[in-house]
Coordinates of all heavy atoms in Angstrom, one line a residue:
M1155 N 10.7 3.5 23.8 CA 9.9 3.4 24.9 C 9.0 2.2 24.7 O 8.3 2.0 23.7 CB 9.0 4.6 25.1 CG 8.0 4.6 26.2 SD 7.0 6.0 26.3 CE 8.1 7.2 27.1
T1156 N 8.9 1.3 25.8 CA 8.0 0.2 25.7 C 6.7 0.5 26.3 O 6.5 1.6 26.9 CB 8.7 -1.0 26.5 OG1 8.7 -0.6 27.9 CG2 10.0 -1.4 26.0
K1157 N 5.7 -0.4 26.2 CA 4.4 -0.2 26.7 C 4.4 0.0 28.2 O 3.8 0.9 28.8 CB 3.5 -1.4 26.3 CG 2.1 -1.3 26.7 CD 1.3 -2.5 26.2 CE -0.1 -2.5 26.8 NZ -0.9 -3.7 26.3
S1158 N 5.2 -0.8 28.9 CA 5.3 -0.7 30.4 C 6.0 0.6 30.8 O 5.6 1.2 31.8 CB 6.1 -1.9 31.0 OG 7.4 -2.0 30.4
E1159 N 6.9 1.1 30.0 CA 7.6 2.4 30.3 C 6.5 3.5 30.1 O 6.5 4.5 30.8 CB 8.8 2.6 29.4 CG 10.0 1.8 29.7 CD 11.1 1.8 28.7 OE1 10.9 2.3 27.6 OE2 12.2 1.4 29.1
L1160 N 5.7 3.4 29.0 CA 4.7 4.4 28.8 C 3.7 4.4 30.0 O 3.3 5.5 30.5 CB 3.9 4.1 27.5 CG 2.7 4.9 27.2 CD1 3.1 6.4 27.0 CD2 2.0 4.4 26.0
I1161 N 3.3 3.3 30.4 CA 2.3 3.2 31.6 C 3.0 3.8 32.8 O 2.3 4.6 33.5 CB 1.9 1.7 31.8 CG1 1.0 1.2 30.7 CG2 1.2 1.6 33.1 CD1 0.8 -0.2 30.6
Q1162 N 4.3 3.5 33.0 CA 5.0 4.1 34.2 C 5.0 5.6 34.1 O 4.8 6.3 35.1 CB 6.4 3.4 34.3 CG 7.1 3.9 35.5 CD 6.5 3.4 36.8 OE1 6.0 2.3 36.9 NE2 6.5 4.3 37.8
R1163 N 5.4 6.1 33.0 CA 5.5 7.6 32.8 C 4.1 8.2 33.0 O 4.0 9.3 33.7 CB 6.0 7.9 31.5 CG 6.2 9.4 31.3 CD 7.2 9.9 30.4 NE 8.5 9.2 30.5 CZ 9.4 9.3 29.6 NH1 9.2 9.9 28.4 NH2 10.6 8.7 29.7
L1164 N 3.0 7.6 32.5 CA 1.7 8.2 32.7 C 1.3 8.1 34.2 O 0.7 9.1 34.7 CB 0.7 7.4 31.8 CG 0.8 7.7 30.3 CD1 -0.2 6.7 29.6 CD2 0.4 9.1 30.0
A1165 N 1.7 7.1 34.9 CA 1.4 7.0 36.3 C 2.1 8.0 37.1 O 1.6 8.6 38.0 CB 1.8 5.6 36.8
E1166 N 3.4 8.3 36.7 CA 4.1 9.4 37.4 C 3.5 10.8 37.2 O 3.5 11.6 38.1 CB 5.6 9.4 36.9 CG 6.4 8.2 37.3 CD 7.7 8.0 36.6 OE1 8.0 8.9 35.8 OE2 8.4 7.1 36.9
R1167 N 3.0 11.0 36.0 CA 2.4 12.3 35.7 C 1.0 12.5 36.1 O 0.5 13.6 36.1 CB 2.5 12.6 34.2 CG 3.9 12.7 33.7 CD 3.9 13.1 32.2 NE 5.3 13.2 31.7 CZ 5.6 13.5 30.5 NH1 4.7 13.7 29.6 NH2 6.9 13.6 30.2
N1168 N 0.4 11.4 36.5 CA -1.0 11.4 36.9 C -1.2 10.6 38.3 O -1.8 9.5 38.3 CB -1.9 10.8 35.9 CG -1.9 11.6 34.6 OD1 -2.5 12.6 34.5 ND2 -1.2 11.1 33.6
P1169 N -0.6 11.2 39.3 CA -0.6 10.4 40.6 C -2.0 10.1 41.2 O -2.2 9.3 42.0 CB 0.2 11.3 41.6 CG 0.1 12.6 41.0 CD 0.0 12.5 39.5
H1170 N -3.0 10.8 40.7 CA -4.4 10.6 41.1 C -5.1 9.4 40.5 O -6.1 9.0 40.9 CB -5.3 11.9 40.8 CG -5.3 12.2 39.4 ND1 -4.3 12.9 38.7 CD2 -6.3 12.0 38.5 CE1 -4.6 13.1 37.5 NE2 -5.8 12.6 37.3
L1171 N -4.4 8.8 39.5 CA -4.9 7.6 38.9 C -4.2 6.4 39.3 O -3.0 6.4 39.6 CB -4.8 7.7 37.3 CG -5.6 8.8 36.6 CD1 -5.2 8.8 35.2 CD2 -7.1 8.5 36.8
Y1172 N -4.9 5.3 39.5 CA -4.2 4.0 39.8 C -3.5 3.5 38.6 O -4.0 3.6 37.5 CB -5.3 3.0 40.3 CG -5.9 3.3 41.6 CD1 -7.3 3.7 41.7 CD2 -5.2 3.3 42.8 CE1 -7.9 4.0 42.9 CE2 -5.8 3.6 44.0 CZ -7.1 3.9 44.1 OH -7.7 4.3 45.3
Q1173 N -2.4 2.8 38.9 CA -1.6 2.2 37.8 C -2.4 1.2 37.0 O -2.4 1.1 35.8 CB -0.3 1.6 38.3 CG 0.5 1.1 37.1 CD 2.0 0.9 37.5 OE1 2.4 1.3 38.5 NE2 2.7 0.2 36.6
R1174 N -3.2 0.4 37.7 CA -4.1 -0.6 37.0 C -5.1 0.0 36.1 O -5.4 -0.6 35.0 CB -4.7 -1.5 38.0 CG -5.8 -0.9 38.9 CD -6.5 -1.9 39.8 NE -7.5 -1.2 40.6 CZ -7.3 -0.7 41.8 NH1 -6.1 -0.9 42.4 NH2 -8.2 -0.1 42.5
D1175 N -5.6 1.2 36.4 CA -6.5 1.9 35.6 C -5.8 2.4 34.3 O -6.3 2.3 33.2 CB -7.2 3.1 36.3 CG -8.1 2.6 37.4 OD1 -8.6 1.4 37.3 OD2 -8.4 3.4 38.3
I1176 N -4.6 2.9 34.5 CA -3.8 3.4 33.4 C -3.4 2.2 32.4 O -3.5 2.4 31.2 CB -2.5 4.1 33.9 CG1 -2.8 5.4 34.6 CG2 -1.5 4.4 32.7 CD1 -1.7 6.0 35.3
E1177 N -3.1 1.0 33.0 CA -2.8 -0.1 32.2 C -4.1 -0.5 31.4 O -3.9 -0.8 30.2 CB -2.5 -1.3 33.1 CG -1.1 -1.2 33.7 CD -0.8 -2.3 34.7 OE1 -1.6 -3.1 35.0 OE2 0.3 -2.2 35.3
K1178 N -5.3 -0.4 31.9 CA -6.5 -0.7 31.2 C -6.7 0.3 30.1 O -7.1 -0.1 29.0 CB -7.7 -0.7 32.1 CG -7.8 -1.9 33.0 CD -9.0 -1.8 33.9 CE -9.0 -2.9 35.0 NZ -10.1 -2.8 35.9
I1179 N -6.5 1.6 30.4 CA -6.7 2.6 29.4 C -5.7 2.4 28.2 O -6.2 2.4 27.0 CB -6.5 4.0 30.0 CG1 -7.6 4.3 31.0 CG2 -6.4 5.1 28.9 CD1 -7.3 5.5 31.9
V1180 N -4.4 2.2 28.5 CA -3.4 2.1 27.4 C -3.8 0.8 26.6 O -3.7 0.8 25.4 CB -2.0 2.0 28.0 CG1 -1.0 1.6 26.9 CG2 -1.7 3.4 28.6
G1181 N -4.1 -0.3 27.3 CA -4.4 -1.5 26.6 C -5.6 -1.4 25.7 O -5.7 -1.9 24.6
T1182 N -6.6 -0.7 26.2 CA -7.9 -0.5 25.4 C -7.6 0.4 24.2 O -8.1 0.0 23.1 CB -8.9 0.3 26.3 OG1 -9.2 -0.6 27.4 CG2 -10.2 0.5 25.5
I1183 N -6.7 1.4 24.3 CA -6.4 2.2 23.1 C -5.7 1.4 22.1 O -6.0 1.4 20.9 CB -5.5 3.4 23.6 CG1 -6.4 4.4 24.4 CG2 -4.9 4.1 22.4 CD1 -5.6 5.5 25.1
F1184 N -4.7 0.6 22.5 CA -4.0 -0.3 21.6 C -4.9 -1.3 21.0 O -4.8 -1.6 19.8 CB -2.8 -1.0 22.3 CG -1.6 0.0 22.6 CD1 -0.7 -0.4 23.5 CD2 -1.5 1.2 22.0 CE1 0.4 0.4 23.8 CE2 -0.5 2.1 22.3 CZ 0.5 1.7 23.2
D1185 N -5.8 -1.9 21.8 CA -6.7 -2.9 21.2 C -7.6 -2.3 20.2 O -7.9 -2.9 19.1 CB -7.5 -3.5 22.4 CG -6.7 -4.4 23.3 OD1 -5.6 -4.8 22.9 OD2 -7.2 -4.7 24.4
E1186 N -8.1 -1.1 20.4 CA -9.0 -0.4 19.5 C -8.3 -0.1 18.2 O -8.9 -0.3 17.1 CB -9.6 0.9 20.1 CG -10.6 0.6 21.2 CD -11.9 -0.2 20.7 OE1 -12.3 0.1 19.5 OE2 -12.3 -1.0 21.4
I1187 N -7.1 0.4 18.3 CA -6.3 0.7 17.1 C -6.1 -0.6 16.3 O -6.3 -0.7 15.1 CB -4.9 1.3 17.4 CG1 -5.2 2.7 17.9 CG2 -4.0 1.3 16.2 CD1 -3.9 3.4 18.5
T1188 N -5.7 -1.7 17.0 CA -5.5 -3.0 16.3 C -6.7 -3.5 15.7 O -6.7 -4.0 14.5 CB -5.0 -4.0 17.4 OG1 -3.8 -3.5 18.0 CG2 -4.7 -5.4 16.7
E1189 N -7.9 -3.5 16.4 CA -9.1 -4.0 15.8 C -9.5 -3.1 14.6 O -10.0 -3.7 13.6 CB -10.2 -3.9 16.9 CG -10.0 -5.0 17.9 CD -11.0 -4.9 19.1 OE1 -12.1 -4.2 18.9 OE2 -10.8 -5.5 20.1
A1190 N -9.3 -1.8 14.6 CA -9.7 -1.0 13.5 C -8.8 -1.3 12.3 O -9.3 -1.5 11.1 CB -9.5 0.5 13.8
L1191 N -7.6 -1.6 12.5 CA -6.7 -2.0 11.4 C -7.0 -3.3 10.8 O -7.0 -3.6 9.6 CB -5.2 -1.9 11.8 CG -4.6 -0.5 12.1 CD1 -3.2 -0.7 12.7 CD2 -4.6 0.3 10.9
A1192 N -7.4 -4.2 11.7 CA -7.8 -5.6 11.3 C -9.1 -5.5 10.4 O -9.3 -6.3 9.5 CB -8.1 -6.5 12.5
R1193 N -10.0 -4.5 10.7 CA -11.2 -4.3 9.8 C -10.8 -3.6 8.5 O -11.7 -3.5 7.7 CB -12.2 -3.5 10.6 CG -12.9 -4.2 11.7 CD -14.1 -3.4 12.2 NE -13.7 -2.0 12.6 CZ -13.4 -1.6 13.8 NH1 -13.3 -2.4 14.8 NH2 -13.1 -0.3 14.0
G1194 N -9.6 -3.1 8.4 CA -9.2 -2.4 7.2 C -9.4 -0.9 7.3 O -9.3 -0.1 6.4
D1195 N -9.8 -0.4 8.5 CA -10.0 1.0 8.8 C -8.7 1.8 8.9 O -7.7 1.2 9.2 CB -10.9 1.2 10.0 CG -12.3 0.7 9.9 OD1 -12.7 0.4 8.7 OD2 -12.9 0.5 10.9
R1196 N -8.8 3.1 8.8 CA -7.6 3.9 9.0 C -7.8 4.6 10.3 O -8.9 5.0 10.7 CB -7.6 5.0 7.9 CG -6.5 5.9 7.9 CD -6.6 6.8 6.6 NE -5.4 7.7 6.5 CZ -5.4 9.0 7.0 NH1 -6.5 9.5 7.5 NH2 -4.4 9.7 6.9
V1197 N -6.7 4.7 11.1 CA -6.8 5.4 12.4 C -5.9 6.6 12.4 O -4.7 6.5 12.1 CB -6.3 4.4 13.5 CG1 -6.3 5.1 14.9 CG2 -7.1 3.1 13.6
E1198 N -6.5 7.8 12.6 CA -5.8 9.0 12.5 C -5.8 9.7 13.9 O -6.8 9.9 14.5 CB -6.5 10.0 11.5 CG -5.7 11.3 11.4 CD -6.3 12.2 10.3 OE1 -7.0 11.7 9.4 OE2 -6.1 13.4 10.3
L1199 N -4.6 10.0 14.4 CA -4.4 10.8 15.6 C -3.9 12.1 15.2 O -2.7 12.2 14.9 CB -3.5 10.0 16.5 CG -3.9 8.6 16.9 CD1 -2.8 7.9 17.6 CD2 -5.2 8.6 17.7
R1200 N -4.7 13.1 15.2 CA -4.3 14.5 14.7 C -3.0 15.0 15.3 O -2.8 14.9 16.6 CB -5.4 15.5 15.0 CG -6.7 15.3 14.2 CD -6.5 15.7 12.8 NE -7.7 15.3 12.1 CZ -8.2 15.9 11.0 NH1 -7.6 17.0 10.6 NH2 -9.2 15.4 10.4
G1201 N -2.1 15.4 14.5 CA -0.9 15.9 15.0 C 0.2 14.9 15.2 O 1.4 15.2 15.3
F1202 N -0.2 13.6 15.4 CA 0.7 12.5 15.6 C 1.0 11.7 14.4 O 2.1 11.5 13.9 CB 0.2 11.6 16.7 CG 1.1 10.5 17.1 CD1 2.3 10.8 17.8 CD2 0.8 9.2 16.7 CE1 3.1 9.7 18.1 CE2 1.7 8.2 17.1 CZ 2.8 8.4 17.8
G1203 N -0.1 11.2 13.7 CA 0.0 10.5 12.5 C -1.2 9.6 12.3 O -2.2 9.7 13.0
A1204 N -1.1 8.8 11.2 CA -2.2 7.9 10.8 C -1.7 6.5 10.6 O -0.6 6.3 9.9 CB -2.8 8.5 9.5
F1205 N -2.4 5.6 11.1 CA -2.1 4.2 10.9 C -3.1 3.7 9.8 O -4.3 4.0 9.8 CB -2.4 3.3 12.1 CG -1.5 3.7 13.3 CD1 -1.9 4.6 14.2 CD2 -0.3 3.0 13.4 CE1 -1.1 4.9 15.3 CE2 0.5 3.3 14.5 CZ 0.1 4.3 15.4
S1206 N -2.6 2.9 8.9 CA -3.4 2.3 7.8 C -2.9 0.9 7.5 O -1.8 0.5 8.0 CB -3.5 3.2 6.6 OG -2.2 3.4 6.0
V1207 N -3.6 0.2 6.6 CA -3.2 -1.1 6.2 C -2.9 -1.1 4.7 O -3.8 -0.6 3.9 CB -4.2 -2.2 6.5 CG1 -3.8 -3.6 6.0 CG2 -4.5 -2.3 8.0
K1208 N -1.8 -1.6 4.3 CA -1.5 -1.7 2.8 C -1.4 -3.1 2.4 O -1.0 -4.0 3.2 CB -0.2 -1.0 2.5 CG -0.3 0.5 2.7 CD 0.9 1.2 2.0 CE 0.7 2.7 2.1 NZ 1.7 3.4 1.2
K1209 N -1.8 -3.4 1.2 CA -1.8 -4.8 0.7 C -0.5 -4.9 -0.1 O -0.1 -4.1 -0.9 CB -3.0 -5.0 -0.2 CG -4.3 -4.9 0.5 CD -4.6 -6.2 1.2 CE -6.0 -6.1 1.7 NZ -6.3 -7.1 2.7
R1210 N 0.2 -6.1 0.1 CA 1.3 -6.4 -0.7 C 0.8 -7.6 -1.6 O 0.3 -8.6 -1.1 CB 2.5 -6.9 0.1 CG 3.2 -5.8 0.7 CD 4.6 -6.2 1.1 NE 5.3 -5.1 1.7 CZ 6.4 -5.2 2.5 NH1 6.9 -6.4 2.7 NH2 7.0 -4.2 2.9
D1211 N 1.0 -7.4 -2.9 CA 0.6 -8.4 -3.9 C 1.4 -9.7 -3.7 O 2.5 -9.7 -3.2 CB 0.7 -7.9 -5.3 CG -0.3 -6.8 -5.6 OD1 -1.3 -6.8 -4.9 OD2 0.0 -6.0 -6.4
A1212 N 0.8 -10.8 -4.2 CA 1.6 -12.1 -4.2 C 2.7 -11.9 -5.1 O 2.7 -11.2 -6.1 CB 0.7 -13.2 -4.6
R1213 N 3.8 -12.6 -4.8 CA 5.0 -12.5 -5.7 C 5.9 -13.7 -5.6 O 5.6 -14.6 -4.8 CB 5.9 -11.3 -5.3 CG 6.4 -11.4 -3.9 CD 7.1 -10.1 -3.4 NE 7.5 -10.2 -2.0 CZ 8.5 -10.8 -1.5 NH1 9.4 -11.4 -2.3 NH2 8.8 -10.8 -0.2
T1214 N 6.9 -13.8 -6.4 CA 7.8 -14.9 -6.4 C 9.1 -14.4 -5.7 O 9.7 -13.5 -6.1 CB 8.2 -15.4 -7.8 OG1 7.0 -15.8 -8.4 CG2 9.1 -16.6 -7.7
G1215 N 9.4 -15.0 -4.5 CA 10.6 -14.6 -3.8 C 11.7 -15.7 -4.0 O 11.6 -16.6 -4.8
R1216 N 12.7 -15.5 -3.3 CA 13.9 -16.4 -3.4 C 14.3 -16.8 -2.0 O 14.5 -16.0 -1.1 CB 15.0 -15.6 -4.1 CG 16.1 -16.5 -4.6 CD 16.9 -15.9 -5.7 NE 16.2 -15.6 -6.9 CZ 15.8 -16.5 -7.8 NH1 16.1 -17.8 -7.7 NH2 15.2 -16.1 -8.9
N1217 N 14.6 -18.1 -1.8 CA 15.1 -18.6 -0.6 C 16.6 -18.2 -0.6 O 17.4 -18.6 -1.4 CB 15.0 -20.1 -0.6 CG 15.5 -20.7 0.7 OD1 16.3 -20.2 1.4 ND2 14.9 -21.9 1.1
P1218 N 17.0 -17.4 0.4 CA 18.4 -16.9 0.5 C 19.4 -18.0 0.7 O 20.5 -17.9 0.2 CB 18.4 -16.0 1.6 CG 17.2 -16.3 2.5 CD 16.2 -16.9 1.6
R1219 N 19.0 -19.1 1.3 CA 20.0 -20.2 1.5 C 20.2 -21.1 0.3 O 21.3 -21.3 -0.1 CB 19.4 -21.1 2.6 CG 20.3 -21.2 3.8 CD 19.8 -22.1 4.8 NE 19.9 -21.4 6.1 CZ 19.6 -21.9 7.2 NH1 19.0 -23.1 7.3 NH2 19.7 -21.2 8.3
T1220 N 19.1 -21.5 -0.4 CA 19.2 -22.4 -1.5 C 19.2 -21.6 -2.9 O 19.6 -22.2 -3.9 CB 18.1 -23.4 -1.5 OG1 16.8 -22.8 -1.6 CG2 18.1 -24.2 -0.2
G1221 N 18.6 -20.4 -2.9 CA 18.5 -19.7 -4.1 C 17.3 -20.1 -4.9 O 17.0 -19.6 -6.0
E1222 N 16.5 -21.1 -4.5 CA 15.3 -21.5 -5.2 C 14.2 -20.6 -5.1 O 14.0 -19.9 -4.1 CB 14.9 -23.0 -4.9 CG 14.1 -23.1 -3.7 CD 13.7 -24.5 -3.4 OE1 14.6 -25.3 -3.1 OE2 12.5 -24.8 -3.4
S1223 N 13.3 -20.5 -6.1 CA 12.2 -19.6 -6.1 C 11.1 -20.1 -5.1 O 10.9 -21.3 -5.0 CB 11.6 -19.6 -7.5 OG 12.5 -18.9 -8.4
V1224 N 10.4 -19.2 -4.5 CA 9.4 -19.5 -3.5 C 8.2 -18.6 -3.8 O 8.4 -17.4 -3.9 CB 9.9 -19.3 -2.1 CG1 8.8 -19.6 -1.0 CG2 11.1 -20.2 -1.8
D1225 N 7.0 -19.1 -3.8 CA 5.8 -18.3 -3.9 C 5.5 -17.7 -2.6 O 5.4 -18.4 -1.6 CB 4.6 -19.1 -4.4 CG 4.8 -19.5 -5.9 OD1 5.5 -18.8 -6.6 OD2 4.3 -20.6 -6.3
V1226 N 5.3 -16.3 -2.6 CA 5.0 -15.6 -1.4 C 3.5 -15.1 -1.6 O 3.3 -14.4 -2.6 CB 5.9 -14.4 -1.1 CG1 5.5 -13.7 0.1 CG2 7.4 -15.0 -1.0
G1227 N 2.6 -15.4 -0.7 CA 1.2 -15.0 -0.9 C 1.0 -13.5 -0.6 O 1.9 -12.8 -0.1
E1228 N -0.2 -13.1 -0.9 CA -0.6 -11.7 -0.6 C -0.6 -11.5 0.9 O -0.9 -12.3 1.7 CB -2.0 -11.5 -1.2 CG -2.5 -10.1 -1.0 CD -3.9 -9.9 -1.6 OE1 -4.8 -10.3 -0.9 OE2 -4.0 -9.4 -2.7
K1229 N -0.1 -10.2 1.3 CA -0.1 -9.9 2.7 C -0.7 -8.5 2.9 O -0.7 -7.7 2.1 CB 1.4 -9.8 3.1 CG 2.1 -11.1 3.1 CD 3.6 -10.9 3.6 CE 4.4 -12.1 3.5 NZ 5.8 -11.9 4.0
S1230 N -1.1 -8.3 4.2 CA -1.5 -7.0 4.6 C -0.5 -6.6 5.6 O -0.1 -7.3 6.5 CB -2.9 -7.1 5.3 OG -3.9 -7.5 4.4
I1231 N 0.0 -5.3 5.5 CA 1.0 -4.8 6.4 C 0.5 -3.5 7.0 O -0.1 -2.7 6.3 CB 2.4 -4.7 5.7 CG1 2.3 -3.7 4.5 CG2 2.9 -6.0 5.3 CD1 3.6 -3.2 4.1
P1232 N 0.9 -3.3 8.3 CA 0.5 -2.0 8.9 C 1.5 -0.9 8.3 O 2.6 -1.2 8.0 CB 0.8 -2.2 10.4 CG 1.7 -3.4 10.4 CD 1.5 -4.2 9.2
F1233 N 0.9 0.3 8.2 CA 1.7 1.4 7.7 C 1.4 2.6 8.6 O 0.3 2.8 9.0 CB 1.3 1.7 6.2 CG 2.0 2.9 5.6 CD1 3.3 2.7 5.2 CD2 1.3 4.1 5.4 CE1 3.9 3.8 4.6 CE2 2.0 5.2 4.9 CZ 3.3 5.0 4.5
F1234 N 2.4 3.4 8.9 CA 2.3 4.6 9.7 C 2.8 5.8 8.9 O 4.0 5.8 8.4 CB 3.0 4.4 11.0 CG 2.9 5.7 11.9 CD1 1.7 6.0 12.6 CD2 4.0 6.5 12.0 CE1 1.6 7.1 13.3 CE2 3.9 7.6 12.8 CZ 2.7 7.9 13.5
K1235 N 2.0 6.8 8.9 CA 2.5 8.1 8.2 C 2.4 9.2 9.3 O 1.4 9.4 10.0 CB 1.6 8.5 7.1 CG 2.0 9.8 6.4 CD 1.2 10.1 5.2 CE 1.7 11.4 4.6 NZ 0.8 11.9 3.6
T1236 N 3.6 9.8 9.5 CA 3.6 10.8 10.6 C 2.8 12.0 10.2 O 2.6 12.4 9.1 CB 5.1 11.3 10.8 OG1 5.6 11.8 9.6 CG2 6.0 10.2 11.3
G1237 N 2.3 12.7 11.3 CA 1.5 13.9 11.1 C 2.5 15.1 11.0 O 3.7 15.1 11.3
K1238 N 1.9 16.2 10.5 CA 2.7 17.4 10.3 C 3.3 17.9 11.6 O 4.5 18.3 11.6 CB 1.8 18.5 9.7 CG 2.5 19.8 9.3 CD 1.6 20.8 8.7 CE 2.3 22.1 8.4 NZ 1.4 23.1 7.9
Q1239 N 2.6 18.0 12.7 CA 3.1 18.5 13.9 C 4.3 17.6 14.4 O 5.3 18.2 14.9 CB 2.0 18.6 15.0 CG 1.0 19.7 14.7 CD -0.1 19.7 15.7 OE1 -0.4 18.7 16.4 NE2 -0.7 20.8 15.9
L1240 N 4.1 16.3 14.3 CA 5.2 15.4 14.8 C 6.5 15.6 13.9 O 7.6 15.7 14.4 CB 4.7 14.0 14.7 CG 5.8 12.9 15.1 CD1 6.3 13.1 16.6 CD2 5.2 11.5 15.0
R1241 N 6.3 15.7 12.6 CA 7.4 15.9 11.7 C 8.1 17.2 12.0 O 9.4 17.3 12.1 CB 7.0 15.9 10.3 CG 7.0 14.6 9.6 CD 6.9 14.7 8.1 NE 5.8 15.6 7.6 CZ 4.6 15.2 7.5 NH1 4.2 14.0 7.7 NH2 3.7 16.1 7.0
E1242 N 7.4 18.3 12.3 CA 8.0 19.6 12.6 C 8.7 19.6 13.9 O 9.8 20.1 14.0 CB 6.9 20.7 12.6 CG 6.3 21.0 11.2 CD 5.1 21.9 11.3 OE1 4.6 22.2 12.4 OE2 4.7 22.4 10.2
R1243 N 8.1 18.9 14.9 CA 8.8 18.8 16.2 C 10.1 18.0 16.1 O 11.1 18.3 16.8 CB 7.8 18.1 17.2 CG 8.2 18.3 18.6 CD 7.1 18.0 19.5 NE 7.6 18.2 20.9 CZ 6.9 17.8 21.9 NH1 5.7 17.3 21.8 NH2 7.4 18.0 23.1
L1244 N 10.1 17.0 15.3 CA 11.3 16.2 15.2 C 12.4 16.8 14.4 O 13.6 16.6 14.5 CB 11.0 14.8 14.5 CG 10.1 13.9 15.3 CD1 9.8 12.6 14.5 CD2 10.8 13.5 16.6
N1245 N 12.0 17.8 13.5 CA 13.0 18.4 12.6 C 13.2 19.9 12.9 O 13.5 20.6 12.0 CB 12.5 18.3 11.1 CG 12.5 16.8 10.7 OD1 13.5 16.1 10.8 ND2 11.4 16.3 10.2
T1246 N 13.2 20.2 14.2 CA 13.5 21.6 14.5 C 15.0 21.8 14.5 O 15.8 20.9 15.0 CB 12.9 22.0 15.9 OG1 13.4 21.0 16.9 CG2 11.4 22.0 15.9
D1247 N 15.5 22.9 14.0 CA 16.9 23.1 13.9 C 17.3 24.2 14.9 O 16.7 25.1 15.3 CB 17.3 23.6 12.5 CG 17.2 22.4 11.5 OD1 17.3 21.3 12.0 OD2 17.0 22.7 10.4

C-alpha cells in the first residue's frame, strides 16, 4: 500500500472528512515519526510496532566491480520491530 492508497482508503471509510484534511493528517504523522527518528528517539505504536534508529559502524567494504577495498563511513539506519498484536494477526493458522 502506498501513501496515496492509504489516504484514499481513509477517505472512503471517513466520508465526513475532506481528502485534503486526511492528506494533512497522514503527512503530519509521517513527518513527526521522521523527525523523532532524526533526533534519535524511538517511536512506539502499541500493538503495531516500534521504529528506532540503529548505528552501523564504519567498515571496509569492497567495490563489486573492481574488487578493490572501499572505506564505508558510519551510518544510521531506521529499524522496525513488529508489535505482539501485529505478529499474532499475521501468523494466525
Side-chain angles (χ1 to χ4, degrees):
M1155 175 181 286
T1156 64
K1157 183 177 174 182
S1158 59
E1159 290 171 341
L1160 173 64
I1161 291 168
Q1162 184 63 38
R1163 185 155 308 163
L1164 289 172
E1166 290 168 2
R1167 292 185 182 181
N1168 298 283
H1170 59 283
L1171 295 174
Y1172 293 111
Q1173 184 164 344
R1174 68 178 178 265
D1175 293 336
I1176 294 171
E1177 289 172 0
K1178 287 180 187 176
I1179 292 167
V1180 170
T1182 300
I1183 291 170
F1184 288 163
D1185 289 344
E1186 288 299 319
I1187 291 172
T1188 302
E1189 288 174 17
L1191 292 174
R1193 289 190 306 267
D1195 295 341
R1196 183 174 183 265
V1197 178
E1198 182 176 339
L1199 305 172
R1200 294 281 170 152
F1202 183 73
F1205 297 92
S1206 60
V1207 177
K1208 290 194 173 191
K1209 298 277 186 195
R1210 284 200 178 161
D1211 294 333
R1213 62 184 173 85
T1214 301
R1216 192 161 299 284
N1217 182 330
R1219 244 183 224 181
T1220 63
E1222 83 178 62
S1223 295
V1224 178
D1225 289 330
V1226 179
E1228 183 180 79
K1229 294 180 185 180
S1230 296
I1231 59 163
F1233 179 76
F1234 178 75
K1235 181 178 179 186
T1236 58
K1238 182 179 177 184
Q1239 289 177 335
L1240 178 58
R1241 269 193 314 273
E1242 289 173 353
R1243 193 163 179 189
L1244 293 175
N1245 294 308
T1246 56
D1247 291 331

